Amino acid sequence: MCFIWTKIIRGTTFNEFSVLGILSNLGAAKMPQVMVVARNFMDMVAALPAAKLDMLYDSAFICEAVLRSFPPLAKKYALQMLYVSAPMPAAAMEEWVLDEYASKHKVAIDRLLQLRVFVEVRDRRKEVSYKMNDKFQGNMQKYLVDGGSLPREPISSSVTGRLPTLTELENYALEQWECFLLQLINSSQVERGTSFSSSMMKTFQRGLLSSRDGDAPKLSENGFQFLLMETNAQLWYIMREYISSAEERGVDPTELISFLLELSFHTLGAAYSFNTLTDVQRIAIRDLAELGLVKVQQGRKDSWFIPTKLATNLSSSLSDSSASKEGIVVVETNFRLYAYSASRLHCEILRLFSRVEYQLPNLIVGAITKESLYGAFDNGITAEQIISFLKQNAHPRVADKIPVVPENVTDQIRLWETDRNRVDMVLSHVYEDFPSKDMFEQCCDLARDNGFLLWEDSKKMRLIVRVEFHQEMREFLRRQR
Amino acid sequence: MTSAHSKLYSDDVSLVVVIVDTNPFFWAGAALPFADFFGHLIHFVNSLLLLNHLNQVVVIAAGVSSCAYVFDSGNAAASGSPDVAATFAKASRKVEEFVKQDARDTAGNGTVAGGGAASLFSGALSLALCYIQRVFRSGTRHPQPRILCLQGSPDGPEQYVAVMNSIFSAQRSMVPIDSCIVGTQDSAFLQQASYITGGVYLKPQELSGLFQYLAAVFASDLHSRAFLRLPKTLGVDFRASCFCHKKTIDMGYVCSVCLSIFCKYHKKCSTCGSEFSRVMPDLNSMPDQK
């Protein structure tokens, strides 16, 4: 199907028209990329030089975090190889899986090799065997015997006095994190800013905001998608930015990575003394406190930090979306949307794709409309992302229902999206009034051979060619004359 | 992507209930000393907990006349005692206490005849299923459950009905029962259990490498089992026990109303009370019983 809208410009020899050829385009919608970010973090670890990676494996916690980030099959292989010291022939390993799942096997082995948990060994006959990384193996064996120990001892409550309860800690963490996010997306609206230096904030905003010259920075496509991700994925994104900007600040990224992974193995809600930290870690912990990963408290002599849920979930979220936080959103078949939340951040997020009608103390009421969705699509959010956001944040009352979001609503969101994708504009030119059939066909052939022909009508001797080819076309016609 | 309506965590998060045979009659003469076996078990439990922080392991000890929970990783984590070594020390103390208590119970009952005492697997299986049901009903998202039986002592035919009932309820709630035989004889009960519930039945050749077997076969989660070449059962012993004398039989009488099995002809079914009016001819023309 081909809709053509023409606008006439006087040409020279032939009538040339500038055409906006609108062709159907039912391309596949982009899938939501929620987990991509977290996986990228392990890719970042994998990209470290071999020597540094081996250095990281000195710490049992990193070994543990890395192991947990693997796909299930890779985890199983690692476990199976734990007490095997001799190299295992690759061919023998392939026997472990059924033939039809060889691709899964390959993915698992590749991952293990990338992170240097398995090391490739070639014998004299050039046959490939895999051997487990010695340090990794040693650390994991130790783990199996004593069940792993703690990175550092918590300090006793006689020193710290009363520590915040877990609920207080969680509220604190969420508050800090939301405050940070609000500042990230809209620095002017925050009354109580975090103490991140503006340069640091800029680093975080780099991928998320785009500013056209002079204008106030606006959320970019990535920024919108970022807001719809779950907290852990967002956290990893920020951490990745934080680590990759470490070198600019003169900090070794390896140390930060190891500290972050280690942090997630601390006990939730226990206090740890600052004295056990290195200088780099001390600076890092102040930054992490701003994000709500830890709470820093000052005693009479000592200061200490208390890891929050955000920190302890950090490494576990690498393998999977394990955030089981309670949802807030109820969507009705009449396209109305109720979100039981008092948070400004939630309101901002909902505003991305719905029309927020009113806000009660604990309830945000909105409607999903065509206009609001078009706004979202313009910002680069896909229908799938919106639907998966609604599903993941469903209120417990509706979370049990199948489907969680009414089908007519999800279908309509998808339809509105495809409405926009159905047509695709291609700038092009129309050529007509050819003097002879022969000439017309020569032109057609030339355009077709170069792959610029969009449409032809041999009866009326008309053709449409992409705008890029116009110059060549013109010269060709001039030569023919 | 985890969809919110599914109450399960993603595929590879598992709840493993391990049933451990602590029958002193068996372990007294076993090729693998109990201490070594327990070492392998702790390694295995640790490795399960290592694989995913959401994994949960429960250990149930099955003695001769009682059974009890000896370890629950959920409790260990919740109680805030992060010292894993201490938790395991506590677990092994619990096992010790349990074995002593069990010995006292057994002596009190005086039910044991000779060395061939069976462990109370029916009770342990029921405990495991109860635990799993509680997890199912807790309302929150839960891991994928499965049961692993580590049996050494021979089957107790007198537990036939109870074991079969447990197996069928496991099948109904889609809980696979894996079995690993650490003794010398195959277990007909567990062969059937694994066969019916879709679990893995394995009798390791080399018991000194028990951990390797456990890690290679029983540590894999249900999702990745679909891809793996796992040991297949060669044959399953489908023989039943009779309800009247609890003997394992090849052929017997079956009540036409409630399907109870008897080794001898009765006038009245002891289970449902139906009266059999016609006298059965001899054993030769009797229907084959599976």
Side-chain angles (χ1 to χ4, degrees):
Chain A
M1 186 186 272
C2 179
F3 303 96
I4 301 169
W5 173 73
T6 55
K7 186 177 155 201
I8 301 170
I9 313 166
R10 273 289 123 218
T12 45
T13 331
F14 301 95
N15 287 334
E16 286 170 9
F17 296 91
S18 173
V19 175
L20 283 167
I22 304 169
L23 297 172
S24 71
N25 172 19
L26 293 166
K30 257 188 278 168
M31 285 303 288
Q33 305 191 320
V34 179
M35 285 319 292
V36 171
V37 177
R39 225 179 296 126
N40 280 348
F41 183 81
M42 271 301 158
D43 286 343
M44 207 164 94
V45 177
L48 289 173
K52 279 203 169 160
L53 200 54
D54 285 348
M55 214 166 73
L56 275 182
Y57 289 148
D58 276 337
S59 152
F61 307 102
I62 293 163
C63 297
E64 198 178 333
V66 166
L67 182 74
R68 283 181 178 170
S69 76
F70 283 139
L73 218 50
K75 283 184 193 174
K76 188 198 135 49
Y77 290 170
L79 191 61
Q80 211 161 338
M81 291 288 283
L82 209 52
Y83 284 95
V84 182
S85 45
M88 179 76 127
M93 275 192 176
E94 273 167 38
E95 298 275 297
W96 289 351
V97 283
L98 298 169
D99 296 335
E100 56 266 46
Y101 295 106
S103 60
K104 300 232 177 218
H105 174 80
K106 204 175 163 320
V107 169
I109 293 283
D110 282 352
R111 199 74 194 143
L112 287 164
L113 287 175
Q114 263 172 24
L115 280 158
R116 290 182 54 78
V117 170
F118 279 13
V119 187
E120 209 175 83
V121 183
R122 276 172 201 274
D123 61 9
R124 257 176 263 128
R125 282 178 299 158
K126 295 264 169 157
E127 273 177 43
V128 184
S129 310
Y130 300 120
K131 195 179 164 317
M132 204 167 190
N133 187 319
D134 292 331
K135 271 185 187 169
F136 194 92
Q137 197 168 27
N139 269 327
M140 286 295 98
Q141 285 179 358
K142 222 163 67 209
Y143 180 95
L144 288 197
V145 176
D146 57 17
S149 49
L150 287 170
R152 46 176 66 82
E153 282 296 310
I155 45 180
S156 70
S157 54
S158 59
V159 184
T160 56
R162 201 190 74 92
L163 288 175
T165 64
L166 291 185
T167 9
E168 277 168 13
L169 210 57
E170 192 174 343
N171 290 341
Y172 162 83
L174 285 181
E175 201 179 297
Q176 284 293 103
W177 179 245
E178 282 193 4
C179 176
F180 168 75
L181 281 186
L182 267 178
Q183 190 185 7
L184 194 67
I185 55 172
N186 199 344
S187 33
S188 58
Q189 267 189 22
V190 188
E191 58 268 23
R192 186 176 64 87
T194 51
S195 69
F196 274 116
S197 64
S198 58
S199 66
M200 190 82 110
M201 216 57 199
K202 286 242 166 61
T203 332
F204 292 146
Q205 291 170 338
R206 199 162 42 194
L208 306 174
L209 297 187
S210 65
S211 54
R212 291 204 195 88
D213 24 49
D215 284 356
K218 267 183 65 186
L219 269 184
S220 68
E221 192 174 317
N222 281 339
F224 279 103
Q225 295 184 353
F226 172 80
L227 280 186
L228 293 188
M229 290 180 199
E230 19 161 13
T231 315
N232 275 325
Q234 290 173 335
L235 200 57
W236 275 119
Y237 180 88
I238 293 297
M239 284 300 118
R240 211 159 50 105
E241 294 292 314
Y242 183 68
I243 290 167
S244 51
S245 67
E247 253 165 308
E248 296 163 22
R249 283 175 281 130
V251 177
D252 182 13
T254 324
E255 195 170 344
L256 272 183
I257 290 177
S258 81
F259 181 56
L260 269 175
L261 291 178
E262 196 182 290
L263 190 64
S264 58
F265 289 96
H266 286 68
T267 313
L268 176 67
Y272 296 93
S273 169
F274 262 50
N275 296 336
T276 52
L277 299 176
T278 64
D279 288 341
V280 174
Q281 291 172 340
R282 251 176 241 199
I283 300 168
I285 210 97
R286 297 269 174 211
D287 291 337
L288 296 180
E290 292 299 334
L291 297 175
L293 268 80
V294 291
K295 188 175 170 72
V296 175
Q297 283 188 331
Q298 184 84 44
R300 228 173 270 146
K301 277 184 289 181
D302 233 354
S303 34
W304 56 85
F305 65 94
I306 309 163
T308 68
K309 216 171 183 170
L310 287 180
T312 49
N313 277 344
L314 207 56
S315 79
S316 52
S317 58
L318 279 177
S319 54
D320 220 304
S321 49
S322 51
S324 53
K325 86 180 161 195
E326 293 234 310
I328 49 162
V329 183
V330 178
V331 185
E332 289 185 341
T333 47
N334 57 6
F335 292 83
R336 293 182 69 77
L337 182 143
Y338 301 89
Y340 289 87
S341 165
S343 137
R344 287 225 340 258
L345 183 70
H346 284 144
C347 190
E348 288 298 319
I349 292 175
L350 292 177
R351 221 184 278 280
L352 294 179
F353 60 87
S354 66
R355 192 181 70 220
V356 173
E357 287 170 351
Y358 40 89
Q359 207 174 347
L360 302 174
N362 69 337
L363 178 69
I364 305 165
V365 180
I368 298 174
T369 64
K370 191 174 173 181
E371 289 70 32
S372 70
L373 279 178
Y374 271 27
F377 296 147
D378 277 338
N379 285 319
I381 305 177
T382 65
E384 282 310 320
Q385 279 171 332
I386 295 173
I387 293 168
S388 83
F389 173 84
L390 292 176
K391 277 185 185 161
Q392 276 171 1
N393 288 286
H395 194 273
R397 277 288 186 82
V398 290
D400 290 340
K401 292 191 179 137
I402 298 169
V404 180
V405 182
E407 235 158 21
N408 71 321
V409 177
T410 51
D411 284 351
Q412 191 60 60
I413 294 177
R414 288 200 186 98
L415 281 175
W416 277 329
E417 186 189 43
T418 44
D419 256 359
R420 288 164 43 90
N421 287 347
R422 195 167 57 204
V423 287
D424 188 15
M425 296 193 213
V426 180
L427 247 106
S428 47
H429 289 237
V430 164
Y431 303 83
E432 59 182 2
D433 297 343
F434 283 92
S436 68
K437 187 104 186 162
D438 195 36
M439 183 130 176
F440 168 74
E441 264 157 20
Q442 276 180 1
C443 283
C444 272
D445 289 345
L446 179 75
R448 191 180 298 118
D449 291 347
N450 288 287
F452 288 103
L453 181 72
L454 282 177
W455 177 81
E456 62 176 310
D457 180 358
S458 47
K459 248 188 215 145
K460 289 187 181 162
M461 291 207 287
R462 276 180 179 171
L463 78 156
I464 299 178
V465 175
R466 281 173 187 271
V467 74
E468 302 95 299
F469 202 57
H470 180 54
Q471 273 308 320
E472 284 90 334
M473 226 32 199
R474 260 174 104 152
E475 269 162 38
F476 177 73
L477 290 168
R478 203 164 282 145
R479 262 183 276 128
Q480 296 295 311
R481 207 152 20 136
Chain B
M1 198 177 68
T2 26
S3 52
H5 62 258
S6 139
K7 283 228 171 160
L8 284 176
Y9 283 116
S10 62
D11 312 313
D12 72 324
V13 183
S14 16
L15 159 65
V16 186
V17 184
V18 187
I19 299 177
V20 184
D21 195 346
T22 60
N23 190 335
F25 297 101
F26 163 71
W27 287 111
L32 180 77
F34 185 72
D36 291 4
F37 166 78
F38 199 69
H40 285 295
L41 178 69
I42 286 185
H43 270 49
F44 176 65
V45 171
N46 267 336
S47 61
L48 283 175
L49 296 176
L50 167 72
L51 287 183
N52 196 316
H53 79 292
L54 289 170
N55 276 358
Q56 210 182 330
V57 184
V58 177
V59 181
I60 297 174
V64 179
S65 53
S66 60
C67 43
Y69 296 109
V70 289
F71 172 75
D72 184 342
S73 68
N75 284 349
S79 65
S81 108
D83 197 351
V84 189
T87 320
F88 278 102
K90 216 172 109 195
S92 60
R93 254 201 320 281
K94 256 191 165 168
V95 170
E96 234 167 80
E97 273 165 32
F98 167 77
V99 171
K100 275 186 200 149
Q101 179 63 37
D102 186 49
R104 247 172 292 160
D105 288 357
T106 315
N109 282 344
T111 45
V112 185
S119 299
L120 196 61
F121 260 85
S122 56
L125 274 176
S126 316
L127 271 187
L129 287 166
C130 288
Y131 189 95
I132 289 168
Q133 280 303 323
R134 197 172 78 205
V135 171
F136 274 149
R137 289 173 198 191
S138 62
T140 48
R141 294 207 294 167
H142 54 76
Q144 184 91 256
R146 62 177 193 267
I147 299 176
L148 168 64
C149 295
L150 293 164
Q151 192 185 15
S153 50
D155 289 334
E158 70 279 0
Q159 296 173 32
Y160 176 74
V161 178
V163 169
M164 283 320 271
N165 284 339
S166 308
I167 293 173
F168 289 128
S169 73
Q171 184 194 19
R172 262 185 80 98
S173 37
M174 314 257 272
V175 177
I177 301 178
D178 294 331
S179 11
C180 181
I181 305 296
V182 290
T184 44
Q185 307 170 21
D186 274 314
S187 155
F189 288 177
L190 289 183
Q191 275 180 348
Q192 293 189 41
S194 300
Y195 178 82
I196 292 171
T197 57
V200 181
Y201 176 89
L202 181 73
K203 187 169 174 296
Q205 304 293 316
E206 199 56 56
L207 279 178
S208 54
L210 183 63
F211 172 75
Q212 199 62 26
Y213 285 104
L214 293 176
V217 180
F218 299 107
S220 40
D221 55 279
L222 298 182
H223 173 67
S224 35
R225 280 184 189 192
F227 319 133
L228 291 168
R229 235 185 265 272
L230 290 169
K232 288 213 175 64
T233 330
L234 295 172
V236 180
D237 185 354
F238 281 114
R239 282 184 308 165
S241 298
C242 68
F243 286 27
C244 45
H245 303 90
K246 318 288 183 200
K247 281 190 299 190
T248 309
I249 50 171
D250 290 320
M251 275 204 231
Y253 295 88
V254 177
C255 167
S256 53
V257 178
C258 68
L259 301 178
S260 299
I261 302 157
F262 304 100
C263 58
K264 280 199 302 199
Y265 173 71
H266 291 251
K267 271 202 179 122
K268 193 176 166 194
C269 173
S270 61
T271 313
C272 66
S274 340
E275 294 192 22
F276 308 127
S277 51
R278 248 185 299 161
V279 177
M280 273 286 184
D282 55 318
L283 271 169
N284 296 336
S285 61
M286 211 174 45
D288 183 47
Q289 153 56 41
K290 270 201 174 176

